[in-house]
């Protein structure tokens, strides 16, 4: 089988079908909500911070910047440090609960 070459090849690829793109039934939105999101992004850029940043203090923003600048290895090291800290706090809480039990701090007063 011989393949067409040059202009013959291009004309064989040409489609004369007319497509009406006005109908939403024929061309549904592929990802629901994308059109609304795109429309909301067309608004002019404002200098006000996003709503979620309104409650953040300067220290919180600095920490976010610091965490955002970490490499993957440094981030993993930070996560391991937080896991170790959580484990140590759990051990300390367990000791304090045991101590409270022995001192009868947690007992309810008898009526």
């Amino acid at each position: 089988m011989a393949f067409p070459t040059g202009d013959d090849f291009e004309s064989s690829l040409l489609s004369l079908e007319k497509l009406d793109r006005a109908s939403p039934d024929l061309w549904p939105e592929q990802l629901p909500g994308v059109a609304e999101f795109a429309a909301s992004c067309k608004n002019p850029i404002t200098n006000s911070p996003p709503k979620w940043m309104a409650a953040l203090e300067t220290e919180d923003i600095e920490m976010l910047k610091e965490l955002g600048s970490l490499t993957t290895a440094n981030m993993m090291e930070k996560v391991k440090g937080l896991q170790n800290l959580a484990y140590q706090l759990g051990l300390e809480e367990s000791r304090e609960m045991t101590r409270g039990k022995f001192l009868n701090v947690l007992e309810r007063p008898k009526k």
Side-chain angles (χ1 to χ4, degrees):
M1 176 174 167
F3 291 103
T5 58
D7 290 334
D8 292 336
F9 180 68
E10 287 181 21
S11 64
S12 70
L13 295 176
L14 183 62
S15 173
L16 300 176
E17 183 179 2
K18 300 293 182 197
L19 300 175
D20 180 22
R21 293 183 179 264
S23 172
D25 294 331
L26 292 175
W27 303 98
E29 189 176 13
Q30 290 184 353
L31 297 173
V34 172
E36 290 85 15
F37 177 75
S40 71
C41 289
K42 290 181 182 177
N43 295 338
I45 298 175
T46 60
N47 291 334
S48 62
K51 293 177 186 176
W52 60 268
M53 284 188 69
L56 295 180
E57 296 177 2
T58 307
E59 294 174 10
D60 300 328
I61 294 171
E62 291 300 319
M63 180 174 282
L64 283 174
K65 288 178 183 177
E66 176 189 335
L67 292 173
S69 66
L70 293 177
T71 64
T72 305
N74 290 344
M75 181 64 80
M76 292 301 295
E77 187 176 320
K78 187 83 164 170
V79 168
K80 286 180 184 177
L82 289 172
Q83 287 175 333
N84 288 339
L85 180 61
Y87 179 76
Q88 293 299 325
L89 286 173
L91 290 177
E92 184 177 334
E93 182 180 12
S94 175
R95 281 193 299 269
E96 292 299 323
M97 291 298 287
T98 304
R99 183 175 172 215
K101 182 179 176 182
F102 288 137
L103 294 174
N104 296 324
V105 174
L106 303 175
E107 283 188 13
R108 293 184 183 188
K110 296 179 181 179
K111 294 181 179 179

